[in-house]
Amino acid sequence: MGTPQHLVHLLRRLYEDGTALVRTDDVLSKDFHPSADWTDGVSIGGYKISNLRYADDTTLFATSARHMDELLLKMERVSLEFGLKINHNKTKMMIADRANNNSPEVTQIANCEVVQSYIYLGALISNNGGCVEEVKRRMAIARTAMESMEKQEHNKSY
C-alpha cells in the first residue's frame, strides 16, 4: 500500500513472537500470544481483512454465511475468555452484493438478524455498496435542521 519495505519489516519484527494483555478499568488479563489464524475475509489492496474495530464496535467480514458463523463463534469464544459477551439482539448481519442479489430469503445468520442496511459510526451502510441512501438521509437531516432554524427565527420576529 505504498509503505516503505523497511518500515513494514520493522513493524513485523516488532510484533512477531510478542505477547499482549487486555486492560479493563484497572484489571489486567493474563498475557497471551496474539495470532492471526483466520484466513477468510475480503481482499482490499491485496490484504485479507476479516474485521475492523473501533472502540466497542466490531465489523466482521466473511465470504460466506458458513464462514461468518465460524468467525462469530470464534470471536464469541475468545470474548468470553475476557468476560465479554456478544449481544445477539444488537448484532446485525448484512450480505453485501453489488449485483443486487442480496439473498433476501436469508433472514438470520448465526442467530443474528440479516438487514439490508444499518447505521455504523454515524453513516448508513447499505448492502448494495452504494451511497445514494446515505446522501438522501443526510439531506433529510439538513432539511429538518434548516426548517427548525426557520421556525426559531419566525418565532423570534413576533
Side-chain angles (χ1 to χ4, degrees), residues 92-96 109 113-118 125-127:
K92 305 297 179 206
M93 299 285 176
M94 185 173 74
I95 300 170
I109 296 174
E113 177 188 8
V114 174
V115 297
Q116 302 301 308
S117 64
Y118 66 97
I125 309 296
S126 62
N127 60 359

Side-chain angles (χ1 to χ4, degrees), residues 3-18 47:
T3 305
Q5 280 303 86
H6 70 282
L7 293 178
V8 173
H9 179 71
L10 176 70
L11 288 171
R12 184 176 290 131
R13 295 283 301 174
L14 179 66
Y15 289 105
E16 70 186 11
D17 298 324
Y47 295 92

